[in-house]
Amino acid sequence: GLPTRYGSPIYQGFRPAADAACVARARAAGAVVIGKTVTTEFAYFTPGPTANPCNPAHTPGGSSSGSAAAVADGMVPIAFGTQTAGSLIRPASFCGVFAIKPSFGSVSLAGVKPFSPSLDTVGWFARSADDLELMRCAMEQAAFAPLQPPDARALRLGVCRTHEWPAADAGGSAAFEEALKKAGAAGIRLRDIDWPAEMAGLVEAQKTVMAREAAQSLAPEWRDHPERLSAALVALLEMGRACADHTYQQALDQAAAARRLLPPLMRDVDALLVPAAPGEAPAGLGATGDPVFNRLWTLLGVPCVNVPGLQGPQGLPIGMQLIGHVRQERNLLAVASRLHRALTED
């Protein structure tokens, strides 16, 4: 019943006839829906007018721009978003709030406009790990129980910078090292994870899958309203339309192989600690920042949580990303709660 434009002028005034499944489950659990928030165009890169509440001269990130900003500003305690590349974790890092991207397929996408069905994942933002768990229980139709964070000395985190580490800026690199220092001081056991050479190229594989599937999902909009699509989206759709079948299949096969490699790498740790974003939110509202540190985890379908608590050189938030075991979201959120305590203790 609420206006739902998908960030595009094509859908000006559009109102869905029914709730998405995630909204229906939240309502059934007692949630009160008080409004809709701004998204980028079809949850891609072209931003809306939303600013970062920590500093309105900076982007809130995207694509779930309005949801991250609304939670960070205290307008709502919890807000839905989606992630196809980095649209939950990146804005959560930029705005200084918690967010979870659950395991792929664990939350129904019914009623959510598809962009890349092999990647699209419903998640949500909150100001505490317990509130993330509250919504997870609503999605699972399970009774809520407060998280029981493990003792810091029993917690094992794998430290993983991945092949994308050079994309971190000076502030992001310093924040990551500060996180390691604080986690170690709290008694958390840290173990460096050697990232296999076979994992290289996953970011490009994610881009291939996303472009090919977006071209299919948005074919009606491309056919009927090409002049109302942004230049950035047109470029992506053209890339997807030009993608050969074997190139697309090769990217899917690469992702499948990487999913098989990941469990042994995580066998002896509770979660991986990895960057959430290159650094602080970039200045300006014309772009939403780089999802380089999120793409591969979305491609692998693993649960991800942004843990706030640190700041960069301009005083803007920088989050830390935790990667958990598939379908072990409650355990991951308990780890996130403990890490947040370590990051925010003096």
Side-chain angles (χ1 to χ4, degrees):
L2 295 175
T4 303
R5 293 180 58 244
Y6 310 119
S8 169
I10 295 171
Y11 287 91
Q12 182 70 38
F14 172 67
R15 291 174 184 253
D19 286 337
C22 58
V23 176
R25 287 208 166 182
R27 286 190 195 270
V32 176
V33 178
I34 67 169
K36 296 292 292 291
T37 59
V38 169
T39 178
T40 61
E41 179 195 29
F42 295 116
Y44 190 53
F45 283 150
T46 302
T50 309
N52 191 318
C54 302
N55 183 333
H58 291 250
T59 178
S63 64
S64 307
S65 314
S67 293
V71 171
D73 199 47
M75 298 177 185
V76 292
I78 305 176
F80 281 118
T82 63
Q83 181 157 309
T84 304
S87 296
L88 287 157
I89 300 302
R90 182 169 89 264
S93 178
F94 287 169
C95 292
V97 296
F98 285 87
I100 183 169
K101 183 204 76 67
S103 303
F104 177 76
S106 62
V107 179
S108 173
L109 286 165
V112 176
K113 186 167 178 59
F115 192 84
S116 176
S118 296
L119 303 170
D120 296 342
T121 307
V122 171
W124 45 94
F125 302 87
R127 291 191 293 277
S128 72
D130 271 298
D131 277 355
L132 292 182
E133 172 66 3
L134 178 67
M135 183 60 84
R136 188 195 69 81
C137 290
M139 296 299 100
E140 297 286 337
Q141 296 179 310
F144 169 75
L147 296 169
Q148 300 294 323
D151 184 273
R153 292 167 295 180
L155 185 56
R156 303 160 301 168
L157 293 183
V159 179
C160 184
R161 292 173 174 82
T162 75
H163 297 297
E164 289 67 52
W165 177 249
D169 63 25
S173 299
F176 194 75
E177 297 305 322
E178 182 183 0
L180 298 181
K181 181 179 178 181
K182 289 194 169 191
I188 297 172
R189 289 179 288 170
L190 303 174
R191 172 187 166 191
D192 285 327
I193 301 293
D194 293 328
W195 202 232
E198 296 93 329
M199 295 291 207
L202 290 176
V203 166
E204 292 305 313
Q206 187 275 341
K207 292 179 181 179
T208 297
V209 172
M210 185 173 68
R212 170 65 178 261
E213 295 186 354
Q216 296 170 339
S217 296
L218 297 179
E221 289 81 4
W222 172 276
R223 181 189 65 233
D224 299 334
H225 305 283
E227 77 288 350
R228 306 187 81 179
L229 302 176
S230 70
L233 184 57
V234 166
L236 179 78
L237 299 184
E238 288 178 341
M239 174 183 167
R241 287 163 63 87
C243 179
D245 290 346
H246 73 273
T247 302
Y248 172 62
Q249 188 60 52
Q250 189 175 43
L252 293 176
D253 292 344
Q254 186 177 3
R259 291 188 196 105
R260 292 191 292 269
L261 290 174
L262 189 59
L265 292 173
M266 296 182 64
R267 181 176 295 125
D268 298 323
V269 298
D270 298 293
L272 298 180
L273 176 60
V274 305
E280 295 170 289
L285 302 182
T288 60
D290 190 348
V292 62
F293 288 113
N294 317 120
R295 289 183 185 271
L296 73 94
W297 307 114
T298 306
L299 181 68
L300 297 181
V302 290
C304 312
V305 172
N306 181 70
V307 182
L310 299 179
Q311 292 184 334
Q314 300 181 76
L316 292 171
I318 297 180
M320 293 296 118
Q321 183 174 196
L322 287 174
I323 308 302
H325 298 273
V326 173
R327 302 282 177 159
Q328 297 295 316
E329 280 79 4
R330 180 175 171 86
N331 291 342
L332 181 61
L333 289 172
V335 173
S337 181
R338 176 60 66 193
L339 178 62
H340 181 252
R341 187 179 305 177
L343 296 182
T344 53
E345 286 177 345
D346 292 333

